[in-house]
Amino acid sequence: MPLVHLSDMINHAYRHNYAVGAFGVANLHFLEGIMQAAENCRAPVVLNLIESHFDNYDFELLMPAVTAAARRAAVPVAINFDHGTSRASAERAIRAGCNGVMVDTSALAFSENLWQTRDIVTMAHTCGITVEGELGYVPGVDGENARNHPGELAYTSAAEAVGYVERTGVDCLAVSVGTVHGRMKGVPKLDYSRLAKIREATAIPLVIHGGTGLSDEQFRRLIANGVAKINYYTALADVADRSIREYVAANRKGGHSSLLTGVRDAVREEAERCLRLWGGGGRAAEVLAQCRPWQEVEHIMLYNVSSTLSEIELASVMREGTQLIAAIPGVRGIRTRQTIQSDGKYQHCLLVTLVSQAALESYHHHPAQLRFSHKALRPVLADHITLDMEER
Ligand code: 13P
């Protein structure tokens, strides 16, 4: 199961002077193309789910496929929620299976950006989730992704970055040094000396947004100055688009699936080019050996209730309780079950799935869980056992 901690993956790249590719997943064709690219060149890879794209697909429907692709891969994978705009959306992404969140409050005033990011870091770190903050502003210029990033470019200040990193506790920092989201207009000028100062001041891995349109040499210099993750989407959308247009131009007839046949390969080719160029090719084995696996855990309670409790009363206790604990960050799902055998030792089961061991520890001490357990559940229990389980 090569899902790994995102911060371990990025730190490995940072220590070894390469950058992991973080590619926007727009649909299943993108997902397959990106995964094939990573497998072909044995590179670690980040699958980015971009919040502003959720109008185009059902996030909760796509995520099981993204998770399945990661789990069956032979290369290390992390799943990142990109450009999340609120704590609620970060919690939603964690619940859906992302093990990294990027907080996009960089258009706000410095102090507001700092407080909102810190709040999300505090919540996410209790679940072991990696958090990327952004300081400065990377605007959109042209292309599908550009309209989600209105406004003017604002460069990241090294002096502000130190305080921001220290006070928020982010694991990596997205910086603005001249890149833009979407296609470039003209040749972008990148401020490498600013980047070097930010690197020296913060000493954490840096992230580039707006990878589309940069030259090979620009990528090399960004990586040489501390960039350990590169976000890339528009160029993948453009090659996918071109593949469809070329098919239509050459074939007046043809069904829906024939139209899309070239998309996966076009995405694969472009993603593979990037992964090799950014230095991730051939790194999969060492990343797998050196990064902690990312693993869900389950908290199970088997129980019997007191004989005076009616089915309706039990259902009401469990409904209220499961609503309370479902809102705890890091809880992925809750199921209640009843035994099939009438002579079984326990008649009922409560099964809580959590995103990680860290999330389980924080769940055990969470006030909502304690309230449910001590005030509502314990008084009606006859006997019970609890077990915490992980996959081996
Ligand atoms: P591009 O679309 O410019 O490649 O940028 C992608 C990005 O930064 C997503 O966070």
Side-chain angles (χ1 to χ4, degrees):
M1 92 196 45
L3 257 176
V4 299
H5 278 253
L6 176 57
S7 58
D8 289 0
M9 184 193 275
I10 297 176
N11 280 318
H12 183 273
Y14 187 63
R15 284 197 309 276
H16 294 88
N17 306 309
Y18 70 96
V20 286
F23 300 104
V25 176
N27 54 42
L28 280 182
H29 296 276
F30 275 55
L31 177 61
E32 288 179 36
I34 296 163
M35 289 312 303
Q36 283 178 5
E39 302 259 4
N40 282 358
C41 60
R42 310 285 311 150
V45 72
V46 179
L47 299 170
N48 260 352
L49 285 301
I50 308 175
E51 189 180 13
S52 57
H53 291 190
F54 293 0
D55 291 345
N56 305 334
Y57 56 78
D58 184 321
F59 175 57
E60 271 78 18
L61 268 187
L62 186 61
M63 275 303 287
V66 171
T67 310
R71 286 197 194 287
R72 76 177 187 190
V75 295
V77 183
I79 305 173
N80 185 50
F81 176 53
D82 195 28
H83 291 289
T85 50
S86 66
R87 176 175 167 146
S89 63
E91 287 183 10
R92 175 185 175 197
I94 294 168
R95 187 165 300 118
C98 293
N99 66 349
V101 296
M102 185 258 168
V103 186
D104 183 7
T105 46
S106 64
L108 302 175
F110 176 77
S111 60
E112 194 53 32
N113 182 15
L114 192 147
W115 295 122
Q116 290 205 21
T117 307
R118 187 156 104 164
D119 181 43
I120 293 176
V121 170
T122 307
M123 174 278 295
H125 278 182
T126 62
C127 306
I129 301 280
T130 302
V131 183
E132 172 185 333
E134 179 172 350
L135 198 57
Y137 185 69
V138 178
V141 172
D142 182 29
E144 195 184 299
N145 207 18
R147 66 171 188 277
N148 301 317
H149 305 278
E152 294 296 307
L153 186 146
Y155 286 96
T156 307
S157 134
E160 281 187 349
V162 191
Y164 176 86
V165 166
E166 270 176 20
R167 291 168 70 191
T168 57
V170 290
D171 303 286
C172 53
L173 179 67
V175 291
S176 175
V177 291
T179 61
V180 297
H181 282 104
R183 286 177 217 113
M184 307 282 174
K185 285 234 168 87
V187 182
K189 279 209 177 64
L190 303 185
D191 191 341
Y192 299 108
S193 68
R194 178 182 295 271
L195 186 61
K197 281 193 197 118
I198 301 168
R199 176 196 203 168
E200 206 181 302
T202 61
I204 63 167
L206 304 177
V207 177
I208 282 295
H209 282 245
T212 294
L214 299 177
S215 69
D216 293 6
E217 180 54 20
Q218 286 176 317
F219 281 128
R220 274 191 209 102
R221 290 187 70 183
L222 288 170
I223 294 167
N225 282 293
V227 167
K229 170 171 167 280
I230 296 172
N231 281 20
Y232 202 75
Y233 172 70
T234 302
L236 298 186
D238 285 349
V239 293
D241 204 25
R242 197 173 316 129
S243 150
I244 294 171
R245 286 179 201 287
E246 283 174 3
Y247 180 88
V248 172
N251 303 276
R252 304 291 304 164
K253 290 191 180 145
H256 170 76
S257 11
S258 337
L259 264 168
L260 295 174
T261 39
V263 168
R264 191 181 48 206
D265 288 348
V267 168
R268 176 185 47 69
E269 230 172 78
E270 179 58 10
E272 194 173 330
R273 183 187 75 80
C274 294
L275 288 169
R276 290 187 195 280
L277 177 66
W278 302 339
R283 296 278 186 177
E286 58 188 285
V287 170
L288 272 178
Q290 291 174 34
C291 296
R292 289 165 295 163
W294 181 258
Q295 228 180 338
E296 272 179 16
V297 294
E298 266 152 1
H299 172 69
I300 298 165
M301 183 171 77
L302 300 170
Y303 63 100
N304 293 314
V305 290
S306 89
S307 53
T308 54
L309 195 75
S310 72
E311 292 229 343
I312 294 175
E313 285 167 325
L314 175 62
S316 148
V317 167
M318 294 313 286
R319 196 168 41 247
E320 242 174 74
T322 50
Q323 260 169 23
L324 258 183
I325 57 179
I328 298 173
V331 170
R332 286 211 68 190
I334 302 166
R335 282 167 287 169
T336 52
R337 295 289 183 262
Q338 188 136 2
T339 39
I340 293 167
Q341 306 99 303
S342 55
D343 60 345
K345 183 161 167 44
Y346 295 99
Q347 291 301 303
H348 304 277
C349 171
L350 172 71
L351 211 151
V352 185
T353 308
L354 296 114
V355 300
S356 65
Q357 181 94 35
L360 174 68
E361 271 153 39
S362 127
Y363 170 85
H364 279 313
H365 302 109
H366 196 282
Q369 188 282 128
L370 293 174
R371 198 162 63 242
F372 169 54
S373 172
H374 292 290
K375 293 241 167 74
L377 197 54
R378 294 277 163 96
V380 302
L381 290 184
D383 59 344
H384 75 284
I385 55 163
T386 58
L387 301 162
D388 293 335
M389 304 275 214
E390 68 175 12
E391 197 182 316
R392 285 273 162 86

